[in-house]
Amino acid sequence: MGRFPLTLRSVESDDTIHPHTRSRHAGLLEKIREISGIDVFRCIQCGCCAAGCPTSDYMDYTPAQWMKLLQIGCFSEIAESRGVWTCASCFACLARCPRGIDLAKVAEAVRQIHLRKGLDQQDPARIPEETLRRVPQIAVISCFRKFSS
Amino acid sequence: MRDIPYYPGCTLTTTALNLDESARAAMKKLDVNLAELPRWNCCGTVAGLSSDNLMHHVGPIRVLVRTQEMGSSRLVTLCTMCFHTLRMSNQLVQNDPDRLEKINSFMDREEDYRGRVKVLHLLEILRDDIGFEGIRGHVDTSLDGVKLVSYYGCLLTRPKEVAIDSVESPTVLDDLLRSLGADTPYEPYATECCGSYHTVGEPEIVDDLAYKICESSHRRGADGIVTSCPLCHFNLDESQKRFSARGNSIPEIPILYFTQLMALALGLGEEVCHFDDHHVDPRPMLREKGLIG
């Protein structure tokens, strides 16, 4: 699971990383905090979120792993992975987190930072007609809200 | 007959007429008129979770302005997704006067929303206004002998700030069904997500989750699964036609709205229930249980 060995390094304090990268990482975490209200360093990596997540089996990185990877500066790995896009915004993670962290909001923040660059994950024109006939409109609108800008 | 302002939402006026019409009929029998909000608009389906984007809250707040225009401090809705979206936006502005002022300034052609409307799910009206004992007194055809799993899904009970009942162990739907005479076995997946909007892009995920819920309910001897959410209903109902093709084989299990069971128990008949709209036809089970002719 995952592509990276998870090491306890804070990007901001690591002198081997270029200051530009360090400040860009700090900026992204600040943006995540602004959008979600969450400081990702509050996560204590207990894993309750991942254990209760109904779609974690279909993710490459589970909610607990997003939090660690964000802490160590791997934003693009999270934004370009399946994990945050497989989230169903069911709030089971928030219900079970002992620190009350709303990971659904963290996932939303990562998605939004990505989508606001124009990197839509869903194109309405490419949804098969058979799907549009099959599913209720509530599902289609929800997808537009979650996967497009 | 007292009126309560009612927000149907897009799905209840189209693909979930079975939920809407059975609810209106059942509530009339309980002396409550679900008075449809005039000029209502789409709520947006999912709660806006970005703190820096207030546009997602304009639709829901406009719905609450319509409620205010009706002179009411309460709005009832049935669709779980609409309920969640409206209540989340309402709570946001009630707790944050600055955001409320920004939204009101943006909607400068509407009266200001004053933040005093309470968004309620119909189950709360049944539990808190009418009471389950009161409903039991109106039962014409008991659901005695019918085993029904209450499936709450995600959004009736999470997050806890907008929940209508306990986050992990809700009972409101079970209590309602028991007041109608039904048995309600414990179901560990009662609050597990059905996969929600992934039915559009990743239906395999929904098929897996729906199978887990249906299989568990079947193992507990359920005659049917009862829900409130049109998307949960669709996911649990429609995915069953793919179960045997995937190699998962359990008998079909009808997915019903709680309002349809209310309509039957209150003696209103199957016409308001629109059972034709179901993928898994509940009528054989209901006929066998003596609930329809």
Side-chain angles (χ1 to χ4, degrees), chain B residues 136-154:
Chain B
R136 194 193 302 272
H138 281 90
V139 169
D140 175 87
T141 309
S142 171
L143 303 185
D144 188 37
V146 188
K147 248 183 170 172
L148 298 167
V149 153
S150 300
Y151 177 69
Y152 296 83
C154 313

Side-chain angles (χ1 to χ4, degrees), chain B residues 125-264:
Chain B
I125 301 286
L126 295 171
R127 179 189 61 197
D128 302 330
D129 279 22
I130 300 170
F132 295 129
E133 283 311 306
I135 294 169
R136 194 193 302 272
H138 281 90
V139 169
D140 175 87
T141 309
S142 171
L143 303 185
D144 188 37
V146 188
K147 248 183 170 172
L148 298 167
V149 153
S150 300
Y151 177 69
Y152 296 83
C154 313
L155 302 179
L156 281 178
T157 60
R158 297 193 292 267
K160 67 175 187 289
E161 290 77 10
V162 297
I164 69 168
D165 202 343
S166 156
V167 170
E168 296 283 11
S169 308
T171 62
V172 58
L173 190 47
D174 298 78
D175 293 340
L176 169 68
L177 296 172
R178 278 199 296 271
S179 76
L180 304 176
D183 278 332
T184 56
Y186 168 70
E187 171 48 64
Y189 293 129
T191 57
E192 284 286 292
C193 183
C194 66
S196 190
Y197 44 78
H198 286 307
T199 192
V200 176
E202 297 195 82
E204 319 73 42
I205 294 180
V206 169
D207 288 353
D208 283 347
L209 296 174
Y211 180 78
K212 199 167 72 170
I213 295 161
C214 290
E215 192 275 338
S216 180
S217 301
H218 167 67
R219 252 186 302 124
R220 279 154 235 292
D223 299 307
I225 298 174
V226 182
T227 183
S228 158
C229 172
L231 189 47
C232 294
H233 187 284
F234 174 80
N235 283 346
L236 297 178
D237 189 28
E238 195 263 356
S239 63
Q240 289 190 53
K241 66 186 187 195
R242 289 185 291 280
F243 283 177
S244 55
R246 299 170 79 229
N248 313 122
S249 207
I250 52 169
E252 287 187 333
I253 182 163
I255 313 299
L256 294 150
Y257 290 115
F258 70 93
T259 51
Q260 292 173 310
L261 291 158
M262 284 178 67
L264 293 179

Side-chain angles (χ1 to χ4, degrees), chain A residues 34-35 54 58 82 85-92 94 96 108 112 116 134 136-139 142-143 145, chain B residues 10-11 14-15 44-46 50-52 56 81 84 154 158-159 168 193 197-199 202 208-209 234 238:
Chain A
E34 187 190 330
I35 296 175
Y58 310 95
R82 266 178 69 74
W85 304 100
T86 313
C87 169
S89 300
C90 77
F91 303 98
L94 166 62
R96 285 155 198 175
E108 183 84 358
Q112 281 296 311
R116 290 176 192 182
R134 182 177 71 86
Q137 66 268 56
I138 204 169
S142 302
C143 280
R145 287 282 298 266
Chain B
C10 58
T11 312
T14 53
T15 54
T45 72
V46 286
S50 306
S51 304
D52 66 342
H56 286 169
M81 290 186 84
H84 190 263
C154 313
R158 297 193 292 267
E168 296 283 11
C193 183
Y197 44 78
H198 286 307
T199 192
E202 297 195 82
D208 283 347
L209 296 174
F234 174 80
E238 195 263 356

Side-chain angles (χ1 to χ4, degrees), chain A residues 4-138:
Chain A
F4 300 93
L6 300 178
T7 56
L8 291 169
R9 268 172 46 193
S10 158
V11 172
E12 284 102 336
S13 59
D14 190 333
D15 288 338
T16 65
I17 297 175
H18 193 283
H20 178 73
T21 306
R22 277 191 278 156
S23 86
R24 191 172 144 268
H25 171 241
L28 278 169
L29 289 189
E30 185 48 41
K31 193 67 187 169
I32 288 173
R33 194 207 308 258
E34 187 190 330
I35 296 175
S36 68
I38 308 292
D39 173 3
V40 301
F41 287 100
R42 292 189 67 235
C43 170
I44 55 173
Q45 290 287 287
C46 71
C48 288
C49 53
C53 174
T55 58
S56 64
D57 282 348
Y58 310 95
M59 295 177 177
D60 40 12
Y61 296 116
T62 66
Q65 290 176 317
W66 310 335
M67 297 302 275
K68 176 47 76 178
L69 287 165
L70 287 171
Q71 287 173 1
I72 63 172
C74 299
F75 178 86
S76 58
E77 284 76 13
I78 297 302
E80 290 162 17
S81 72
R82 266 178 69 74
V84 291
W85 304 100
T86 313
C87 169
S89 300
C90 77
F91 303 98
C93 45
L94 166 62
R96 285 155 198 175
C97 176
R99 304 213 76 193
I101 297 171
D102 192 337
L103 284 102
K105 282 192 173 171
V106 174
E108 183 84 358
V110 172
R111 288 192 299 261
Q112 281 296 311
I113 292 171
H114 197 72
L115 292 170
R116 290 176 192 182
K117 298 177 198 170
L119 301 169
D120 285 6
Q121 299 296 300
Q122 185 159 67
D123 178 0
R126 294 177 63 177
I127 300 176
E129 206 170 309
E130 187 273 330
T131 301
L132 291 175
R133 272 199 297 270
R134 182 177 71 86
V135 304
Q137 66 268 56
I138 204 169

